[in-house]
Amino acid sequence: MPRSQPNCLNPQADRSSWMPPLDVQDMVVRLEGEGITDAVASADFGYSSTWVMARHWYPGLSRVEAWPIPQERGKPRWQEFLKGISFALPLALCAAAMVLLAFSLWGGDLPADLASAVAVGTVGSFVVSGGTVQAMARRGRFYFGIKEYLNCAQSCRNWFWAGLSMLSGTSLAFLVLNVYFGWFPTSLALQAVAFHLSLGLLWLAAGLLYMLEANLLISAAVLAGIACVGGLHFTLGVALLSAQLCGILLAALLSLILAVLRLRDFCRKETTALRSQDLGKILYLSWPYFAYGTLYYVFLFADRLLAWTVGKPADALPLTFRGDYETALDIALFAFVLLVGWVHVATVDFYEKLNGAQNTYSSDQTRQFNQFMVRYYVGKLLGFVPLAVASCVCVFAGAIYVGLYERPAIFHTGMWALAGYAFLVVALYNVSLLFALSRPIPVLYSILSALVVDVVAGYLLSRLVGYEAAVGGFVVGAVLFACLTTYSILVAFSRLDYWHFSTAA
C-alpha cells in the first residue's frame, strides 16, 4: 500500500475537478503528471513500475462517480467591458481634447509646416516604439504570470532601454538623411525629432503600465499632460508646441514613476533568485510580436501618410498635414474605443466557455469539442454585428448633431473610417485568440497582406479621387485583416484541442 495516496488516485482530494480515469493509459499520464516515475513508484509506493501501479488502481477508480464541476464566475461583464475600454481610453482622451478644445498632447491650431513636422514625429513614435511595447508586454506578462517578478522587472528594463535606443537611433538617422535630402528645414526637423522622442518615451512608459494592467493610471497621466498643456499655453502664454512637449514629458514621467513603483512592490514579494536570460532565446520568442507591433502601426497610419502626400508641389514639404482628415478619424475613434471593450469581454467569455467545454467533453470527444468551440466563435462574431452597427450609428449621428461633420471631406472620411474600425476590432479579437494560442505567424501574414492592400488601394484612390479617399485603403485593408485572421482562427480551431493543450503545456 502507498505511504500517502497521490491526488490523482484520490477522488476526495479535489472534489471540484476530479474525474474518473478513462483507461490505464490515462492513469499513467496522471501519475507521471504528479512526478511518479518508475523509481518513485517502487521506492515510495511499493510497485515495480508506474504501469503496474496504474493497473492496480484503475479497476476501482474507474467505477467512482465523477464529482460535478462548478463553473467559475469571473467579474461582472460590465466591469470587463470597462477594463477593455481602458486600453484605448488614453487615445480617446487625446482625440476628445482635440475635438472639443482644439488642442491635445500633440497637434492643434498650428501652421501647416509645423503641423506636418509634428505629424511626422507622432507617426514615427508609434511605429518605432510599437514593436518594443508588444514584445515587452509579452515577455513581461510571461514572467508576471509565473510570479517571477524580478525577472519581469529585468526583462522590462532591458526592453525599455532597447526601445529608447531605437528611438534615439531613428532620430539620428532622420536628421542625417534630412541634411542630405532636404526634406524639412532644420528647425522643423528638430521639432519632428522632439515629438518623436518624447511621445516614444510616453508609449514605452505606458507599455509598462499596460503590462501591469494598470490602464487607468495611463489615462490619469495623459489627463495630467493635457492639463499641463492647457495651463502653460492659455494661462502662462507658452507657445503651444513647447507646452505640448512639457505635457508629453510630464505624462511620460508620471507613467514611468508609477510603473517603477508598482514593479518594485511586486519584486518585494519575490522568493526566487534572478535568472540569467538568454538573449538569443528571447529574440527568437519575441520577434513575431515585435514585428506585429511595428506592422500594426504602419497599417494604422498608412492611409494618413498617403492622404498627406496628395497634391504636393515640387518645392513644398514632403507631406501636408490634413486637419480635416485627421478630425474625421479622431471622431471615428470613439466608436473604436467602445468596440475594443467588446474585444476584452469576448476574450474572457471565450476562455470561460473553453474551460466549461473541457469539463463537458472527454478526451475521446475532441472532434465534438472543436466543433462546439467553432460554433461558439461564429455565434460571437454574429453577435458583434448589431453592437458594431449601433456604436457606429450613434457616433456618426452624434457627430452630425453637434456639427462636426459639416465639411464634406470630414463627413465621407468619417463614415468610411467607422466601417474600417469595426472590421479592425474583429481582427484584433482574432489576434488576441491567436496570440493566446501562441500562433503569431498567421497574424503576421494577415497584417502584412492587409498593409500591402491598404497602401495599394489607398494610393490609387487618393490619386484618382482625392486625398479623403485614402481612407478607402484603410477600409479594404481592415476587411482583409479581419477575413484572414478569421480564416486562421477557423483553421486553428479545427485542432483547438491540440493548440490549447500545447499552449498550456
Side-chain angles (χ1 to χ4, degrees):
M1 294 296 293
R3 300 175 187 175
S4 59
Q5 190 167 298
N7 288 340
C8 64
L9 305 182
N10 183 8
Q12 298 293 335
D14 186 359
R15 295 173 64 96
S16 66
S17 62
W18 193 88
M19 294 287 288
L22 299 173
D23 49 31
V24 174
Q25 288 88 346
D26 186 21
M27 281 297 311
V28 173
V29 171
R30 297 192 189 196
L31 289 170
E32 291 180 343
E34 292 196 25
I36 302 175
T37 61
D38 289 343
V40 175
S42 175
D44 293 350
F45 298 97
Y47 297 97
S48 60
S49 69
T50 308
W51 280 93
V52 172
M53 186 175 177
R55 280 194 289 267
H56 179 270
W57 280 95
Y58 172 70
L61 292 176
S62 63
R63 294 190 293 269
V64 176
E65 182 179 356
W67 294 108
I69 301 173
Q71 296 296 315
E72 295 184 4
R73 300 187 65 179
K75 298 178 182 178
R77 286 298 172 262
W78 66 269
Q79 291 185 15
E80 299 289 2
F81 182 76
L82 292 179
K83 183 178 180 180
I85 287 179
S86 67
F87 282 95
L89 187 58
L91 287 180
L93 292 174
C94 291
M98 183 65 69
V99 172
L100 300 177
L101 305 176
F103 76 91
S104 185
L105 279 181
W106 65 92
D109 187 14
L110 298 170
D113 55 348
L114 287 177
S116 299
V118 172
V120 169
T122 302
V123 173
S125 70
F126 277 104
V127 172
V128 174
S129 65
T132 302
V133 170
Q134 277 285 337
M136 179 172 63
R138 180 76 179 183
R139 295 300 299 172
R141 288 307 301 173
F142 168 74
Y143 290 119
F144 199 84
I146 60 177
K147 302 185 185 306
E148 293 189 4
Y149 303 119
L150 287 175
N151 287 300
C152 176
Q154 179 65 33
S155 175
C156 290
R157 189 181 303 114
N158 292 339
W159 281 109
F160 185 85
W161 285 111
L164 283 182
S165 298
M166 284 186 285
L167 286 168
S168 302
T170 51
S171 297
L172 180 60
F174 171 76
L175 291 175
V176 171
L177 292 174
N178 185 72
V179 170
Y180 181 79
F181 290 104
W183 295 322
F184 291 94
T186 302
S187 60
L188 292 183
L190 291 174
Q191 291 281 5
V193 167
F195 276 87
H196 177 71
L197 289 172
S198 58
L199 283 172
L201 177 63
L202 175 58
W203 307 145
L204 291 175
L208 291 172
L209 289 175
Y210 277 128
M211 188 276 298
L212 296 169
E213 296 186 344
N215 307 331
L216 292 180
L217 293 181
I218 306 171
S219 299
V222 168
L223 280 176
I226 294 174
C228 176
V229 175
L232 290 175
H233 181 60
F234 294 104
T235 304
L236 301 180
V238 177
L240 181 57
L241 285 183
S242 300
Q244 286 175 329
L245 289 173
C246 291
I248 294 169
L249 291 174
L250 174 63
L253 183 61
L254 287 175
S255 299
L256 188 57
I257 291 174
L258 291 170
V260 169
L261 291 177
R262 285 180 69 88
L263 268 175
R264 183 175 297 174
D265 288 340
F266 282 110
C267 288
R268 288 172 180 165
K269 308 173 186 177
E270 182 66 85
T271 57
T272 59
L274 184 66
R275 294 189 285 117
S276 61
Q277 300 178 17
D278 186 342
L279 179 60
K281 183 178 180 180
I282 291 173
L283 295 178
Y284 174 76
L285 294 173
S286 302
W287 79 263
Y289 305 97
F290 180 92
Y292 168 75
T294 302
L295 290 173
Y296 173 76
Y297 282 108
V298 174
F299 170 78
L300 208 58
F301 289 106
D303 62 296
R304 290 174 168 88
L305 295 173
L306 291 171
W308 297 343
T309 54
V310 172
K312 181 186 75 66
D315 58 345
L317 298 176
L319 56 82
T320 301
F321 181 76
R322 310 281 186 178
D324 50 359
Y325 191 92
E326 190 67 23
T327 299
L329 296 180
D330 287 342
I331 295 170
L333 190 64
F334 293 111
F336 176 74
V337 171
L338 293 175
L339 297 177
V340 164
W342 171 87
V343 171
H344 182 71
V345 174
T347 304
V348 171
D349 283 344
F350 173 82
Y351 277 98
E352 288 189 1
K353 185 66 66 173
L354 180 65
N355 292 332
Q358 282 184 303
N359 295 327
T360 301
Y361 294 96
S362 62
S363 59
D364 59 346
Q365 293 179 304
T366 56
R367 183 170 175 270
Q368 293 90 327
F369 167 78
N370 293 336
Q371 290 177 342
F372 171 78
M373 292 307 301
V374 168
R375 289 194 299 270
Y376 172 79
Y377 166 77
V378 172
K380 206 69 177 178
L381 288 187
L382 294 176
F384 171 73
V385 174
L387 174 64
V389 172
S391 299
C392 292
V393 168
C394 288
V395 171
F396 191 73
I400 292 177
Y401 179 76
V402 299
L404 295 175
Y405 276 169
E406 291 179 349
R407 298 179 62 180
I410 299 179
F411 179 89
H412 294 294
T413 302
M415 179 178 62
W416 285 107
L418 286 168
Y421 278 134
F423 282 100
L424 181 61
V425 167
V426 173
L428 293 179
Y429 173 51
N430 294 334
V431 168
S432 70
L433 298 182
L434 289 168
F435 277 178
L437 296 174
S438 296
R439 300 279 291 155
I441 301 304
V443 174
L444 289 182
Y445 284 134
S446 300
I447 187 65
L448 185 58
S449 301
L451 174 59
V452 172
V453 169
D454 182 359
V455 171
V456 172
Y459 181 85
L460 293 175
L461 289 170
S462 62
R463 270 59 183 177
L464 296 176
V465 180
Y467 72 87
E468 68 276 4
V471 72
F474 168 67
V475 176
V476 175
V479 171
L480 181 62
F481 191 19
C483 290
L484 291 178
T485 52
T486 299
Y487 172 78
S488 297
I489 284 287
L490 294 176
V491 170
F493 280 18
S494 65
R495 299 184 64 198
L496 181 58
D497 58 306
Y498 168 77
W499 291 115
H500 183 55
F501 173 78
S502 63
T503 303

